[in-house]
Amino acid sequence: MKLWDKGFSTDQKIDHFTVGNDRELDLLLTKYDVIASKAHAKMLGEVGLINKDESEDLVRELDGIAKTIEEGTFIIEDTFEDMHSKIEFLLIEKLGDTGKKIHTARSRNDQVLVAMQLYLKNELAEIKLEVKNLFELLLGLADKHKAILLPGYTHLQIAMPSSFGLWFSAYAESLIDDLYFVNAAYKVADQNPLGSAAGYGSSFPVDRTSTTKEMEFATMKYNVVAAQMGRGKVEKATGFGISSIASTLSKLAMDICLYMSQNFDFISFPDELTTGSSIMPHKKNPDVFELIRAKCNKIQAVPNQLVLITNNLPSGYHRDLQLVKEVIVPAIQDIKACLELMHFSLKAVKVNEKILEDPKYNYLFSVDTLNELVKTGMPFRDAYKKMGAEIEAGTFQPKKDIHHTHEGSLGNLCLDKIRVKMENALN
């Protein structure tokens, strides 16, 4: 059954090509198509396009379908093109002609739009919670290990003293920046497109304000052409949001892979969080973090994929837009898994408290030692030359009792200020 079926069959190859993997992806979206269909059925009754009994019957049967989705028993057989056709079939099977009336004053185009935007709103809200959980863990680790120094690097060369407090809280604060992108995506998604039909509205007197309130959208996408133009754009906005998170997670995962290696030996994890080698019995491989890094690098390509699918399309609907679903939906599931696994794994991190006992890290303190000379009145350039000469001659003696006090330095992490920023971003 196809909503656009005019009574003749489609060649099987064409059918397979055009449907693609919609059925599998739609299982994640069906819940939201039911929510939108309920709002639509109620509205049809309110404006008199169907009678009260018909409206109530549709809502009741849609509630029944929602229950099967929640229980995990709802399926989309290959005799159906997508979730929309399966749901409509079930309504007709139960209600006869009343079931056929559910499609009054809407198109599959605005059905897809509204289901996707409800789905994205829900997923973005869940992603924000996952980010918050990881943020809280990172800030807790920063506070717990704030006094333990860690080498800082530039160009992968030993640079200046850092600390585990700085390292953990740096990633915590970076997640706040990522949420700004997520919030922007949520705002784009939080506009009701239902009622735009195929992109040019309807001659039926639908009440779009009613469905907007029923589905708890902040506003509607008023212009019906603009609503249709939002298809692809809302997914792209979401892509930018999750790719920003992915960038942070990928960098953190890379740090962890480096810091776990024997050459660094800054951190370690329990055996159950690492994997071994088939021939080297000493190996403890950071497979979880390598996969987080790889998955997050894939996610960072999502915005560009969506740009390339949508960037040269004129206004109106085009079948190209079907493909945005298969890009964004798996990416959302991947970023949620990466956030969850990063949180799960980092809970067990163990830090090396004696890293700087190795003399090769003495040069970390060259800048602080130089600064002490400046504090005594020596011009900076003269102090720099003196320090360089001592390092070259091998006579450099580091001053290790360092005191960094400005905001955001290793002696003043401002964790409370960072937490307030996160609270504001979450709200």
Side-chain angles (χ1 to χ4, degrees):
M1 177 182 175
K2 300 177 179 65
L3 299 184
W4 46 266
D5 191 6
K6 296 179 178 66
F8 53 84
S9 62
T10 306
D11 183 271
Q12 193 171 3
K13 287 184 180 179
I14 297 296
D15 192 46
H16 179 75
F17 182 76
T18 55
V19 172
N21 60 351
D22 259 19
R23 298 183 192 96
E24 293 81 2
L25 296 173
D26 276 0
L27 287 174
L28 291 171
L29 301 173
T30 308
K31 168 185 174 181
Y32 305 99
D33 191 52
V34 170
I35 291 170
S37 293
K38 282 178 61 179
H40 186 67
K42 289 179 182 180
M43 182 275 297
L44 290 178
E46 290 168 1
V47 301
L49 288 172
I50 59 176
N51 64 46
K52 181 181 178 183
D53 289 342
E54 290 172 326
S55 177
E56 290 176 351
D57 288 345
L58 285 168
V59 170
R60 183 187 67 250
E61 293 305 325
L62 286 164
D63 281 335
I65 294 171
K67 187 175 181 182
T68 65
I69 295 167
E70 188 177 340
E71 292 169 348
T73 58
F74 182 90
I75 58 173
I76 306 172
E77 298 88 347
D78 58 13
T79 50
F80 295 95
E81 186 175 14
D82 52 29
M83 61 181 172
H84 314 296
S85 51
K86 176 62 184 287
I87 291 170
E88 187 165 326
F89 170 82
L90 293 174
L91 292 175
I92 294 170
E93 186 179 51
K94 287 282 189 178
L95 301 174
D97 285 347
T98 298
K100 296 176 183 178
K101 295 181 179 181
I102 189 63
H103 205 58
T104 304
R106 71 175 180 178
S107 164
R108 187 165 61 170
N109 288 336
D110 60 346
Q111 273 188 269
V112 173
L113 275 165
V114 72
M116 177 58 76
Q117 288 182 221
L118 287 169
Y119 166 76
L120 292 177
K121 280 181 61 180
N122 184 77
E123 292 296 302
L124 289 168
E126 288 189 4
I127 287 168
K128 286 178 71 170
L129 289 178
E130 293 285 355
V131 169
K132 179 179 184 293
N133 290 339
L134 180 57
F135 170 87
E136 292 293 348
L137 175 63
L138 288 167
L139 224 57
L141 290 169
D143 190 46
K144 179 179 179 181
H145 302 297
K146 62 187 176 186
I148 302 172
L149 294 183
L150 174 73
Y153 290 81
T154 62
H155 307 275
L156 275 179
Q157 306 293 307
I158 293 170
M160 290 179 65
S162 181
S163 69
F164 281 104
L166 266 183
W167 184 60
F168 284 124
S169 61
Y171 282 103
E173 191 166 8
S174 289
L175 287 171
I176 299 171
D177 294 338
D178 302 331
L179 282 193
Y180 296 150
F181 286 93
V182 172
N183 287 340
Y186 189 94
K187 196 165 187 177
V188 173
D190 202 12
Q191 305 173 88
N192 178 25
L194 188 62
S196 59
Y200 298 97
S202 172
S203 60
F204 292 111
V206 296
D207 184 350
R208 298 188 63 208
T209 298
S210 172
T211 58
T212 299
K213 290 179 179 177
E214 179 69 25
M215 291 183 286
E216 298 182 347
F217 281 101
T219 185
M220 72 176 76
K221 202 62 173 284
Y222 289 97
N223 184 293
V224 291
V225 176
Q228 184 59 239
M229 286 166 61
R231 191 167 179 187
K233 179 177 279 189
V234 65
E235 290 89 346
K236 189 161 57 179
T238 300
F240 280 113
I242 64 174
S243 71
S244 186
I245 297 170
S247 175
T248 300
L249 294 187
S250 177
K251 189 179 289 290
L252 176 56
M254 181 62 200
D255 275 1
I256 291 170
C257 290
L258 278 177
Y259 293 177
M260 282 180 66
S261 73
Q262 293 92 333
N263 302 75
F264 285 78
D265 193 29
F266 295 167
I267 59 175
S268 60
F269 289 89
D271 290 350
E272 58 267 25
L273 290 177
T274 61
T275 59
S277 163
S278 61
I279 62 171
M280 294 173 281
H282 66 283
K283 294 294 291 298
K284 291 185 179 180
N285 300 322
D287 284 21
V288 169
F289 301 103
E290 289 172 342
L291 286 171
I292 289 174
R293 181 177 61 195
K295 285 178 181 290
C296 285
N297 287 341
K298 275 183 63 181
I299 291 167
Q300 289 179 79
V302 165
N304 196 45
Q305 285 180 276
L306 294 171
V307 166
L308 291 174
I309 292 170
T310 62
N311 70 342
N312 63 344
L313 300 180
S315 61
Y317 174 72
H318 311 276
R319 194 64 182 262
D320 313 53
L321 294 167
Q322 176 180 314
L323 301 188
V324 301
K325 188 193 302 182
E326 67 186 45
V327 175
I328 196 63
V329 172
I332 287 171
Q333 303 312 309
D334 279 346
I335 196 66
K336 288 169 68 178
C338 288
L339 282 164
E340 183 180 349
L341 264 294
M342 183 64 81
H343 182 275
F344 177 79
S345 301
L346 267 182
K347 285 191 297 185
V349 68
K350 300 175 183 176
V351 307
N352 181 352
E353 299 186 12
K354 299 179 180 180
I355 300 169
L356 299 194
E357 291 181 4
D358 189 323
K360 72 170 174 279
Y361 294 122
N362 284 348
Y363 292 137
L364 286 169
F365 301 94
S366 67
V367 176
D368 289 275
T369 307
L370 182 159
N371 289 348
E372 287 301 309
L373 293 175
V374 173
K375 288 178 183 177
T376 65
M378 184 180 292
F380 177 85
R381 285 301 170 197
D382 292 343
Y384 184 90
K385 289 178 182 179
K386 174 177 168 56
M387 199 59 52
E390 290 181 4
I391 290 170
E392 188 69 24
T395 59
F396 169 68
Q397 293 296 318
K399 179 188 184 312
K400 293 188 176 183
D401 56 333
I402 58 175
H403 300 284
H404 295 191
T405 59
H406 70 74
E407 296 95 329
S409 65
L410 59 84
N412 184 6
L413 296 175
C414 296
L415 301 185
D416 55 338
K417 303 290 195 304
I418 294 172
R419 176 168 273 110
V420 170
K421 280 179 69 176
M422 172 56 87
E423 289 171 357
N424 290 335
L426 288 168
N427 294 328

